[in-house]
Amino acid sequence: MAASSGQTRLVRAQILPQVFYPTALIVLLAIVATFVAPDASERTFGAAKAWVADEAGWFTVLSVAGFLVFTVAVAVSSFGRLKLGPDHSEPDYPYATWFAMLFAAGMGIGLMYFGVAEPVMHFAAPPTGDPETVSAARQAMRITFFHWGIHAWAIYAVVALSLAYFAYRHGLPLRIRSSLYPMIGERIHGPIGHAVDTFAALGTIFGLATSLGFGVIQINAGLDYLLGVPVGTGVQVTLIAVITLIATGSVFSGLDRGVRRLSELNMILAVLLLAFILVTGPTVHLFQTLVQNTGMYLSNVFGMTFNLYAYEPTGWIGGWTLFYWGWWIAWSPFVGMFIARISRGRTVREFITGVLLVPLGFTFLWMTIYGNSALHLIMVDGMADLAAAVQADSSVALYRFLEHLPLPAVTSTIATVLVVLFFVTSADSGALVIDMLSSKGEEEAPVWQRIFWSIMVGLIAIALLAAGGLASLQAATIAAALPFTVVMILMCWGMLKAMRTEVIRREAMNDARTILAGTDWRQRLRNLIDQPGVDEVRRFLDQQVAPALREVAEELRANGVAARVETGADDRVWIEVGHGEEMDFFYSVRPRPFQPPSFVLVDTRRAGDDEDRSYRAEVYLREGGQGYCVMGWRKADLIHDVLDQYHRHMHFLAAVR
């Protein structure tokens, strides 16, 4: 009994009740209502979709355009030099792994589902003009590029950049609410912050359920093609249950071992399948269309961004463009938080460039190879049955396309495995994000909670499939995205305020007058050549740095300024000067290992203990390491360096008042 009571207290201590319970309650009510009254739920979803498309479509289109302008402007401005983490931080993942994880988390299932289906459907039923013509083919690829182009990644970049910047740069929780700190301060920990994270969790659940719904429909079509498994809601429900259980294995492995390895496997299989289609299809034609498609996209992207078909009203935009924008927005908390988790240590400019352009290039290549190969089969090779099959059931598009190429059984099997892997990766990553939003911990939430959210996402996907299939998936996504669009606008505003303050601070520190203390040049030269070990640096911190900082602190306290000196477990020594409501001053010196230059007559290849390595006594400020060493400095030199940095800090405070 006592053990059970202790476990209950542990569970309550781990969850964040103000987010966990409202999110779980709303999702459970939606699931129950959908199962109890599927017809009424389908009508409700349809009415919500129609209202958002007819009454708020202009707002969504304008917001997405603004997100793109915002990200590009931040990248090219002075904000781009800021790091997503302390100034001394390094990226957690190499480029290849980073790009693979971006691709797998961002659009994997969607690319598999719509790579063939969307170009063929636009070709057969374009929004304007005659169907099944050369003009319709060009328009089909232009629209497909637009829907899967830079706008989607700009949406992801806004959320991911905000999360990474405030969490890794300013030490705030890795949550959506942290982006509002420049506007409401500590109130982000109150009801406003809880509401924002609840909206984010709900958007993630519905966006993820949409992706999983598309994925399981396509898996069902693949199994029907390969093994004769019947297509139906019952089979799809079973598939969701089975694959969700498989995803729990990745949950236990964590981000580095589970999601990372699955992402890399996804990328390898996707590239192999893509290369096979490129080689066995109309290769030269595909390279030609890739160039032309990209040119058409670039020359028309501005006009298409703001096109609402206001002068020729059509329901097409609600079923396509607004659905995609809603899908990307609803999924952005999930993808954004996942991208933020894997992007620590990169500069803002590097981050935005990578997120916007690298997956975009792969997406354009993917859509061209799949889409133009399918259009070539229809227009040149006379495979009209492919267009008819896609029009009748978009989930079979990929398999009907692959059967016209060599080794259809092998390629269809690989395609089905790819969709399953994307399903598992998305389910695991989505559960990780949702339980981070709904738990008190900032990093790893309890495993049981991730499993709970995995089950909830699976159930909501089942419910939406039961209440109208693809139409309900689209409607729920568009409706769930609208409130979070407002949150994203506030995120942009908060980032602008915080980044502007930081840039002003840097400029103020650079403009402040530097005060230099005299130093004997021979001693300085000896300091440059000497390569001390960790024990020598520790003695220096204890005998020179700590006394210098204590003298400064005593003088500050004598002048009525709160100051304290502390020694950390990692041997660092620091002084902190309080400034009330304004930003405190922090100056620290700590041992840091480094690789000496090759001309130094020390065997730096000795591996193992700390005493065998060379160390620096490096200065750290609040924003991170400053890149210079004070080893061997006299007490007076150290005091002047502290005052120099404090002078710059005071100059910054004066500049932002």
Side-chain angles (χ1 to χ4, degrees), residues 55-95:
E55 305 298 330
W58 65 270
F59 174 74
T60 302
V61 168
L62 189 62
S63 298
V64 172
F67 298 148
L68 176 57
V69 172
F70 171 82
T71 53
V72 173
V74 167
V76 301
S77 70
S78 56
F79 301 156
R81 294 193 296 269
L82 299 175
K83 263 199 174 182
L84 300 178
D87 288 341
H88 63 278
S89 58
E90 298 293 334
D92 292 336
Y93 299 99
Y95 278 114

Short mmCIF file of all heavy atoms in Angstrom, two decimals, residues 55-95:
data_model
loop_
_atom_site.label_atom_id
_atom_site.label_comp_id
_atom_site.label_asym_id
_atom_site.label_seq_id
_atom_site.Cartn_x
_atom_site.Cartn_y
_atom_site.Cartn_z
N GLU A 55 -14.09 32.09 -44.02
CA GLU A 55 -14.03 33.30 -43.20
C GLU A 55 -12.63 33.67 -42.74
O GLU A 55 -12.33 34.85 -42.52
CB GLU A 55 -14.94 33.13 -41.96
CG GLU A 55 -16.38 32.77 -42.29
CD GLU A 55 -17.08 33.85 -43.10
OE1 GLU A 55 -16.72 35.05 -42.95
OE2 GLU A 55 -17.99 33.51 -43.87
N ALA A 56 -11.78 32.69 -42.55
CA ALA A 56 -10.44 32.97 -42.01
C ALA A 56 -9.32 32.56 -42.94
O ALA A 56 -8.16 32.59 -42.54
CB ALA A 56 -10.28 32.27 -40.65
N GLY A 57 -9.65 32.18 -44.18
CA GLY A 57 -8.61 31.78 -45.12
C GLY A 57 -7.61 32.88 -45.38
O GLY A 57 -6.39 32.63 -45.48
N TRP A 58 -8.10 34.12 -45.48
CA TRP A 58 -7.20 35.26 -45.73
C TRP A 58 -6.19 35.41 -44.61
O TRP A 58 -5.02 35.74 -44.84
CB TRP A 58 -8.02 36.54 -45.87
CG TRP A 58 -8.74 36.93 -44.61
CD1 TRP A 58 -9.99 36.56 -44.22
CD2 TRP A 58 -8.21 37.73 -43.54
NE1 TRP A 58 -10.29 37.07 -42.97
CE2 TRP A 58 -9.22 37.81 -42.54
CE3 TRP A 58 -7.01 38.39 -43.32
CZ2 TRP A 58 -9.05 38.52 -41.36
CZ3 TRP A 58 -6.83 39.10 -42.15
CH2 TRP A 58 -7.86 39.17 -41.18
N PHE A 59 -6.64 35.18 -43.36
CA PHE A 59 -5.76 35.32 -42.21
C PHE A 59 -4.66 34.27 -42.23
O PHE A 59 -3.49 34.56 -41.97
CB PHE A 59 -6.58 35.22 -40.93
CG PHE A 59 -5.75 35.21 -39.67
CD1 PHE A 59 -5.16 36.38 -39.20
CD2 PHE A 59 -5.56 34.04 -38.95
CE1 PHE A 59 -4.40 36.39 -38.04
CE2 PHE A 59 -4.81 34.03 -37.79
CZ PHE A 59 -4.23 35.21 -37.33
N THR A 60 -5.03 33.04 -42.55
CA THR A 60 -4.04 31.96 -42.61
C THR A 60 -3.00 32.21 -43.70
O THR A 60 -1.80 32.06 -43.47
CB THR A 60 -4.74 30.61 -42.86
OG1 THR A 60 -5.70 30.38 -41.83
CG2 THR A 60 -3.74 29.47 -42.89
N VAL A 61 -3.48 32.59 -44.89
CA VAL A 61 -2.56 32.85 -46.01
C VAL A 61 -1.62 34.00 -45.68
O VAL A 61 -0.41 33.93 -45.93
CB VAL A 61 -3.36 33.14 -47.29
CG1 VAL A 61 -2.46 33.71 -48.38
CG2 VAL A 61 -4.05 31.87 -47.79
N LEU A 62 -2.15 35.07 -45.11
CA LEU A 62 -1.31 36.23 -44.76
C LEU A 62 -0.31 35.87 -43.67
O LEU A 62 0.85 36.30 -43.71
CB LEU A 62 -2.21 37.38 -44.31
CG LEU A 62 -1.52 38.74 -44.10
CD1 LEU A 62 -0.91 39.25 -45.41
CD2 LEU A 62 -2.52 39.76 -43.56
N SER A 63 -0.73 35.07 -42.71
CA SER A 63 0.16 34.69 -41.61
C SER A 63 1.33 33.85 -42.12
O SER A 63 2.48 34.07 -41.74
CB SER A 63 -0.61 33.91 -40.55
OG SER A 63 -1.63 34.71 -39.97
N VAL A 64 1.03 32.88 -42.99
CA VAL A 64 2.09 32.02 -43.52
C VAL A 64 3.09 32.84 -44.33
O VAL A 64 4.31 32.63 -44.24
CB VAL A 64 1.49 30.88 -44.36
CG1 VAL A 64 2.58 30.10 -45.08
CG2 VAL A 64 0.68 29.95 -43.47
N ALA A 65 2.59 33.80 -45.12
CA ALA A 65 3.50 34.69 -45.85
C ALA A 65 4.38 35.48 -44.89
O ALA A 65 5.58 35.66 -45.12
CB ALA A 65 2.69 35.64 -46.74
N GLY A 66 3.79 35.93 -43.79
CA GLY A 66 4.56 36.67 -42.79
C GLY A 66 5.63 35.83 -42.13
O GLY A 66 6.74 36.31 -41.86
N PHE A 67 5.33 34.56 -41.88
CA PHE A 67 6.34 33.68 -41.28
C PHE A 67 7.54 33.51 -42.20
O PHE A 67 8.69 33.47 -41.73
CB PHE A 67 5.72 32.31 -40.97
CG PHE A 67 4.59 32.36 -39.98
CD1 PHE A 67 3.53 31.45 -40.07
CD2 PHE A 67 4.57 33.30 -38.97
CE1 PHE A 67 2.48 31.49 -39.16
CE2 PHE A 67 3.52 33.35 -38.04
CZ PHE A 67 2.48 32.44 -38.15
N LEU A 68 7.30 33.41 -43.49
CA LEU A 68 8.40 33.28 -44.44
C LEU A 68 9.26 34.54 -44.46
O LEU A 68 10.49 34.47 -44.40
CB LEU A 68 7.86 32.98 -45.84
CG LEU A 68 8.89 32.90 -46.96
CD1 LEU A 68 9.96 31.85 -46.67
CD2 LEU A 68 8.21 32.61 -48.29
N VAL A 69 8.62 35.70 -44.52
CA VAL A 69 9.35 36.96 -44.52
C VAL A 69 10.15 37.10 -43.22
O VAL A 69 11.32 37.53 -43.23
CB VAL A 69 8.39 38.15 -44.70
CG1 VAL A 69 9.12 39.47 -44.50
CG2 VAL A 69 7.74 38.10 -46.08
N PHE A 70 9.56 36.73 -42.12
CA PHE A 70 10.22 36.84 -40.82
C PHE A 70 11.50 36.01 -40.77
O PHE A 70 12.56 36.50 -40.37
CB PHE A 70 9.26 36.42 -39.72
CG PHE A 70 9.88 36.30 -38.36
CD1 PHE A 70 10.07 37.42 -37.57
CD2 PHE A 70 10.29 35.06 -37.88
CE1 PHE A 70 10.66 37.31 -36.32
CE2 PHE A 70 10.88 34.94 -36.63
CZ PHE A 70 11.06 36.08 -35.85
N THR A 71 11.42 34.74 -41.16
CA THR A 71 12.59 33.87 -41.05
C THR A 71 13.72 34.34 -41.96
O THR A 71 14.89 34.34 -41.55
CB THR A 71 12.21 32.42 -41.39
OG1 THR A 71 11.55 32.38 -42.66
CG2 THR A 71 11.29 31.84 -40.34
N VAL A 72 13.39 34.74 -43.18
CA VAL A 72 14.43 35.20 -44.10
C VAL A 72 15.07 36.49 -43.56
O VAL A 72 16.30 36.65 -43.60
CB VAL A 72 13.85 35.41 -45.51
CG1 VAL A 72 14.90 36.06 -46.42
CG2 VAL A 72 13.38 34.10 -46.10
N ALA A 73 14.25 37.40 -43.06
CA ALA A 73 14.78 38.66 -42.54
C ALA A 73 15.69 38.43 -41.34
O ALA A 73 16.75 39.07 -41.22
CB ALA A 73 13.62 39.58 -42.15
N VAL A 74 15.32 37.52 -40.45
CA VAL A 74 16.17 37.22 -39.29
C VAL A 74 17.50 36.62 -39.73
O VAL A 74 18.56 36.97 -39.21
CB VAL A 74 15.42 36.26 -38.34
CG1 VAL A 74 16.39 35.69 -37.29
CG2 VAL A 74 14.29 36.97 -37.64
N ALA A 75 17.47 35.75 -40.74
CA ALA A 75 18.69 35.08 -41.20
C ALA A 75 19.69 36.07 -41.78
O ALA A 75 20.90 35.95 -41.54
CB ALA A 75 18.36 34.00 -42.22
N VAL A 76 19.22 37.04 -42.54
CA VAL A 76 20.14 37.97 -43.21
C VAL A 76 20.51 39.15 -42.33
O VAL A 76 21.44 39.89 -42.68
CB VAL A 76 19.53 38.47 -44.54
CG1 VAL A 76 19.24 37.31 -45.47
CG2 VAL A 76 18.25 39.28 -44.30
N SER A 77 19.84 39.33 -41.22
CA SER A 77 20.12 40.47 -40.35
C SER A 77 21.26 40.14 -39.38
O SER A 77 21.82 39.04 -39.39
CB SER A 77 18.86 40.84 -39.56
OG SER A 77 18.57 39.83 -38.61
N SER A 78 21.57 41.08 -38.52
CA SER A 78 22.61 40.86 -37.51
C SER A 78 22.19 39.82 -36.49
O SER A 78 23.03 39.26 -35.78
CB SER A 78 22.92 42.18 -36.79
OG SER A 78 21.75 42.74 -36.22
N PHE A 79 20.88 39.52 -36.42
CA PHE A 79 20.42 38.46 -35.52
C PHE A 79 20.99 37.11 -35.92
O PHE A 79 21.08 36.19 -35.10
CB PHE A 79 18.90 38.36 -35.52
CG PHE A 79 18.19 39.62 -35.11
CD1 PHE A 79 16.89 39.87 -35.51
CD2 PHE A 79 18.82 40.57 -34.32
CE1 PHE A 79 16.22 41.02 -35.14
CE2 PHE A 79 18.17 41.73 -33.94
CZ PHE A 79 16.86 41.96 -34.35
N GLY A 80 21.32 36.94 -37.20
CA GLY A 80 21.79 35.65 -37.70
C GLY A 80 23.09 35.19 -37.06
O GLY A 80 23.41 33.99 -37.11
N ARG A 81 23.87 36.10 -36.47
CA ARG A 81 25.14 35.71 -35.85
C ARG A 81 24.96 35.12 -34.46
O ARG A 81 25.91 34.55 -33.91
CB ARG A 81 26.07 36.92 -35.79
CG ARG A 81 26.51 37.44 -37.16
CD ARG A 81 27.67 38.40 -37.02
NE ARG A 81 27.29 39.59 -36.28
CZ ARG A 81 26.81 40.71 -36.83
NH1 ARG A 81 26.64 40.76 -38.15
NH2 ARG A 81 26.50 41.76 -36.10
N LEU A 82 23.78 35.26 -33.88
CA LEU A 82 23.55 34.71 -32.54
C LEU A 82 23.56 33.18 -32.59
O LEU A 82 23.19 32.58 -33.59
CB LEU A 82 22.20 35.20 -32.01
CG LEU A 82 22.03 36.71 -31.84
CD1 LEU A 82 20.61 37.03 -31.43
CD2 LEU A 82 23.02 37.26 -30.84
N LYS A 83 23.98 32.58 -31.49
CA LYS A 83 24.02 31.13 -31.42
C LYS A 83 22.83 30.59 -30.63
O LYS A 83 22.35 31.24 -29.70
CB LYS A 83 25.32 30.65 -30.75
CG LYS A 83 26.40 30.24 -31.73
CD LYS A 83 27.45 29.37 -31.07
CE LYS A 83 28.44 28.85 -32.11
NZ LYS A 83 29.45 27.96 -31.53
N LEU A 84 22.38 29.41 -31.01
CA LEU A 84 21.32 28.73 -30.28
C LEU A 84 21.97 27.96 -29.13
O LEU A 84 22.07 26.74 -29.14
CB LEU A 84 20.54 27.81 -31.21
CG LEU A 84 19.87 28.51 -32.39
CD1 LEU A 84 19.16 27.51 -33.28
CD2 LEU A 84 18.91 29.59 -31.90
N GLY A 85 22.41 28.71 -28.17
CA GLY A 85 23.16 28.18 -27.04
C GLY A 85 24.21 29.18 -26.63
O GLY A 85 24.33 30.26 -27.23
N PRO A 86 25.01 28.89 -25.62
CA PRO A 86 26.11 29.78 -25.25
C PRO A 86 27.08 29.97 -26.41
O PRO A 86 27.14 29.15 -27.34
CB PRO A 86 26.78 29.03 -24.08
CG PRO A 86 25.74 28.10 -23.56
CD PRO A 86 24.90 27.72 -24.73
N ASP A 87 27.83 31.05 -26.38
CA ASP A 87 28.74 31.36 -27.49
C ASP A 87 29.77 30.27 -27.73
O ASP A 87 30.28 30.13 -28.85
CB ASP A 87 29.46 32.69 -27.20
CG ASP A 87 28.51 33.88 -27.33
OD1 ASP A 87 27.46 33.72 -27.97
OD2 ASP A 87 28.83 34.95 -26.79
N HIS A 88 30.09 29.49 -26.71
CA HIS A 88 31.11 28.46 -26.86
C HIS A 88 30.53 27.10 -27.26
O HIS A 88 31.29 26.14 -27.44
CB HIS A 88 31.88 28.29 -25.54
CG HIS A 88 31.02 27.82 -24.41
ND1 HIS A 88 30.24 28.69 -23.68
CD2 HIS A 88 30.78 26.58 -23.92
CE1 HIS A 88 29.57 28.01 -22.76
NE2 HIS A 88 29.87 26.72 -22.89
N SER A 89 29.21 26.98 -27.40
CA SER A 89 28.59 25.68 -27.66
C SER A 89 28.86 25.21 -29.08
O SER A 89 29.06 26.00 -30.00
CB SER A 89 27.08 25.76 -27.42
OG SER A 89 26.49 26.75 -28.25
N GLU A 90 28.87 23.89 -29.25
CA GLU A 90 29.07 23.25 -30.54
C GLU A 90 27.85 22.39 -30.87
O GLU A 90 27.16 21.92 -29.97
CB GLU A 90 30.33 22.37 -30.53
CG GLU A 90 31.62 23.13 -30.27
CD GLU A 90 31.98 24.07 -31.41
OE1 GLU A 90 31.55 23.80 -32.55
OE2 GLU A 90 32.68 25.07 -31.15
N PRO A 91 27.55 22.18 -32.17
CA PRO A 91 26.38 21.37 -32.55
C PRO A 91 26.44 19.96 -31.96
O PRO A 91 27.50 19.35 -31.88
CB PRO A 91 26.44 21.35 -34.08
CG PRO A 91 27.21 22.58 -34.45
CD PRO A 91 28.22 22.76 -33.35
N ASP A 92 25.28 19.45 -31.58
CA ASP A 92 25.20 18.11 -31.00
C ASP A 92 25.29 17.01 -32.05
O ASP A 92 25.71 15.89 -31.74
CB ASP A 92 23.88 17.95 -30.23
CG ASP A 92 23.82 18.82 -28.99
OD1 ASP A 92 24.90 19.17 -28.47
OD2 ASP A 92 22.71 19.13 -28.53
N TYR A 93 24.90 17.32 -33.29
CA TYR A 93 24.88 16.30 -34.35
C TYR A 93 25.61 16.82 -35.58
O TYR A 93 25.53 18.01 -35.90
CB TYR A 93 23.43 15.94 -34.73
CG TYR A 93 22.63 15.36 -33.59
CD1 TYR A 93 21.75 16.16 -32.86
CD2 TYR A 93 22.75 14.02 -33.25
CE1 TYR A 93 21.01 15.64 -31.82
CE2 TYR A 93 22.00 13.48 -32.21
CZ TYR A 93 21.13 14.30 -31.49
OH TYR A 93 20.41 13.77 -30.45
N PRO A 94 26.30 15.93 -36.30
CA PRO A 94 26.93 16.35 -37.56
C PRO A 94 25.86 16.67 -38.61
O PRO A 94 24.69 16.29 -38.48
CB PRO A 94 27.76 15.12 -37.97
CG PRO A 94 27.08 13.98 -37.29
CD PRO A 94 26.56 14.52 -35.99
N TYR A 95 26.29 17.34 -39.69
CA TYR A 95 25.33 17.78 -40.70
C TYR A 95 24.52 16.63 -41.28
O TYR A 95 23.30 16.74 -41.44
CB TYR A 95 26.07 18.51 -41.83
CG TYR A 95 26.37 19.95 -41.53
CD1 TYR A 95 27.69 20.39 -41.39
CD2 TYR A 95 25.35 20.88 -41.40
CE1 TYR A 95 27.97 21.72 -41.11
CE2 TYR A 95 25.63 22.20 -41.12
CZ TYR A 95 26.94 22.63 -40.98
OH TYR A 95 27.21 23.94 -40.70
#
